C-alpha cells in the first residue's frame, strides 16, 4: 500500500520499496559510525603464483562485523556507501589500513609482495585522491611498490578515456601499480586494453566457474589469457574454488591465481602461517601439471 502521509514524494513508493530504502538509510547511518570508530577491518586473500607455488600478493577486502547485526558483506554495504558518498571515507580508511599493515609486515620481514586495494570509481574521481594515496604511503613510510590499486571495469561507464588515462598516470607516478578488476564482467571495450596503462588484469570469476566441465569456457579463457599475455599484462585469475578449476587454469598461463581453493580472505594475523601452509600443502598442483 502506498504511503500517503509522508509528503508528496512518498506516494510514488510502495511500502516494500520504502522498507528497502529505510533499511539502506539505517545501514548507511550505522556505517558512518563504523568508519568513524574504525570498526571496519580489512581481511587479506592470498594470490598464488602457479608456476612456483609461491605467494604473488594479497588482496585487501573490507570487512564489517557489527556488534548487534553481525557480519555485513561488502556486497551489501559498498553499494550503499557508493550511493551516499561515504565510500570516499571508507576507501580512505581501507587504504590507510592497508599501508599500515604493509609497514608492519615489512618490519616483520614477511614478504607479502604487494597489497591490492579496491578503489571505487567515485573515490578515484575525487580531486584529492592522489594526495590521499600519498598521505597513507608517507604516514607509514612505505614505497608505492607495496600497493596495487584495483579499479573495476565499471569505471569506463561514464568517464572519458582521457580522464582515466590521466588518473592512471598520476597513480603510477607515485610508484603504485594499477589493476583492472573484474575484467570481462561487462563494461570494458577491448580497445581500452591497448590504450590505457593498466599493469594488471584480474580475470572475472565468471570465466572460471566450472571451467573444468566446459570446453567452450576453456577456449574463451585461453583466448583472454593469450590476449592479456600478448599485451604484456600481469594476469590474476580470480575465483577458483576447486582443485579441478585450479588445475585447468594453471595449464593456461597466468601470473597468479586467487580463490577459495587456496584460501579465503583472512585476518592479517593468520596470513603468514596460512601462506606457509598453502605453499607447503598444495605442491600436487605443480607436480600433476609438470
Ligand atoms: P572483488 O574486488 O572482485 O573481490 C573479490 C571478491 O571475490 C571478494 O568478495 C572475495 O572474497 C571473493 N572471492 C575470492 N575468491 C573467491 C572464490 O573462489 N569464490 C567466490 N565465490 N568468491 C571468491 P568480497 O570480499 O565479498 O567483496 C566483494 C566485492 O566488494 C569486491 O569484489 C569489491 O568489488 C568490493 N569490495 C570489497 N572490499 C572493498 C573495499 O575496501 N573498497 C571497495 N571500493 N570495494 C570493496
Ligand atoms: Mg578486487
Ligand atoms: Mg574482482
Ligand atoms: Mg567483484
Amino acid at each position: 500500500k502506498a504511503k500517503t502521509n509522508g509528503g508528496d514524494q512518498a506516494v510514488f513508493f510502495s511500502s516494500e520499496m520504502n522498507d528497502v530504502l529505510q533499511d539502506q538509510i539505517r545501514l548507511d547511518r550505522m556505517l558512518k559510525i563504523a568508519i568513524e570508530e574504525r570498526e571496519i577491518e580489512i581481511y587479506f586473500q592470498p594470490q598464488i603464483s602457479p608456476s612456483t607455488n609461491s605467494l604473488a600478493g594479497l588482496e585487501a577486502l573490507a570487512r564489517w562485523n557489527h556488534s548487534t547485526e553481525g557480519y555485513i558483506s561488502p556486497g551489501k554495504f559498498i553499494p550503499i556507501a557508493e550511493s551516499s558518498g561515504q565510500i570516499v571515507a571508507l576507501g580512505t580508511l581501507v587504504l590507510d589500513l592497508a599501508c599500515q599493515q604493509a609497514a608492519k609486515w615489512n618490519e616483520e620481514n614477511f614478504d607479502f609482495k604487494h597489497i591490492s586495494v579496491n578503489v571505487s570509481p567515485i573515490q578515484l574521481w575525487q580531486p584529492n585522491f592522489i594526495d590521499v594515496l600519498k598521505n597513507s604511503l608517507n604516514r607509514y613510510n612505505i614505497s608505492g611498490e607495496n600497493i596495487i590499486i584495483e579499479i573495476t571495469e565499471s569505471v569506463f561507464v561514464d568517464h572519458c578515456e582521457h580522464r582515466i588515462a590521466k588518473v592512471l598516470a598520476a597513480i603510477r607516478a607515485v610508484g603504485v601499480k594499477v589493476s583492472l578488476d573484474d575484467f570481462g564482467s561487462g563494461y570494458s571495450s577491448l580497445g581500452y586494453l591497448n590504450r590505457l596503462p593498466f599493469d594488471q588484469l584480474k580475470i572475472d570469476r565468471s570465466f572460471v566457474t566450472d571451467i573444468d566441465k566446459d570446453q567452450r569456457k576453456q577456449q574463451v579463457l585461453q583466448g583472454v589469457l593469450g590476449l592479456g599475455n600478448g599485451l604484456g599484462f600481469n594476469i590474476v585469475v580470480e575465483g577458483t574454488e576447486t582443485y579441478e578449476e585450479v588445475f585447468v587454469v594453471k595449464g593456461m598461463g597466468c601470473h597468479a591465481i586467487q580463490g577459495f581453493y587456496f584460501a579465503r580472505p583472512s585476518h592479517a594475523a593468520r596470513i603468514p602461517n596460512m601462506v606457509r601452509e598453502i605453499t607447503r600443502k598444495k605442491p600436487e598442483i605443480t607436480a600433476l601439471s609438470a
Side-chain angles (χ1 to χ4, degrees), residues 40-43 45-46 59-63 71 73-79 82 87 90-91 93-95 117-121 123 150 152 181-182 202 204-205 208-209 238-242 245 258-265:
I40 303 290
E41 295 179 283
I42 49 178
Y43 272 27
Q45 188 178 28
E59 179 174 11
L61 294 155
R63 289 293 178 265
Y71 175 74
S73 75
K76 189 161 187 189
F77 69 78
I78 296 286
E82 285 181 324
I87 192 68
L90 178 65
L93 173 59
V94 167
L95 194 56
V117 180
N118 294 283
V119 172
S120 162
Q123 185 173 21
E150 289 192 8
T152 63
D181 200 359
D182 303 336
K202 290 190 82 173
D204 193 66
R205 176 157 64 92
V208 172
T209 307
E238 287 196 272
T240 46
E241 294 186 353
T242 66
E245 287 168 359
Q258 178 183 345
F260 292 169
Y261 175 74
F262 287 116
R264 302 227 166 209

Side-chain angles (χ1 to χ4, degrees), residues 199-233:
D199 300 284
Q200 183 181 74
L201 291 186
K202 290 190 82 173
I203 312 299
D204 193 66
R205 176 157 64 92
S206 58
F207 286 92
V208 172
T209 307
D210 292 330
I211 193 157
D212 52 300
K213 304 182 190 81
D214 189 335
Q215 284 281 334
R216 293 183 69 86
K217 241 176 158 166
Q218 289 173 30
Q219 291 293 330
V220 172
L221 185 62
Q222 189 71 79
V224 171
L225 293 177
L227 176 72
N229 279 312
L231 291 170
F233 291 106

Side-chain angles (χ1 to χ4, degrees), residues 149-249:
I149 297 290
E150 289 192 8
I151 301 167
T152 63
E153 272 197 354
S154 60
V155 76
F156 296 118
V157 177
D158 38 33
H159 285 279
C160 71
E161 211 178 302
H162 173 70
R163 269 193 82 190
I164 300 169
K166 260 177 83 171
V167 71
L168 295 191
I171 295 171
R172 294 171 98 223
V174 182
V176 171
K177 290 199 167 82
V178 197
S179 178
L180 181 55
D181 200 359
D182 303 336
F183 178 70
S185 66
Y187 294 101
S188 65
S189 124
L190 289 178
Y192 286 127
L193 283 188
N194 195 24
R195 294 191 297 269
L196 291 172
F198 287 99
D199 300 284
Q200 183 181 74
L201 291 186
K202 290 190 82 173
I203 312 299
D204 193 66
R205 176 157 64 92
S206 58
F207 286 92
V208 172
T209 307
D210 292 330
I211 193 157
D212 52 300
K213 304 182 190 81
D214 189 335
Q215 284 281 334
R216 293 183 69 86
K217 241 176 158 166
Q218 289 173 30
Q219 291 293 330
V220 172
L221 185 62
Q222 189 71 79
V224 171
L225 293 177
L227 176 72
N229 279 312
L231 291 170
F233 291 106
N234 181 280
I235 302 178
V236 180
V237 174
E238 287 196 272
T240 46
E241 294 186 353
T242 66
Y243 171 80
E244 288 77 11
E245 287 168 359
V246 171
F247 185 73
V248 171
V249 171

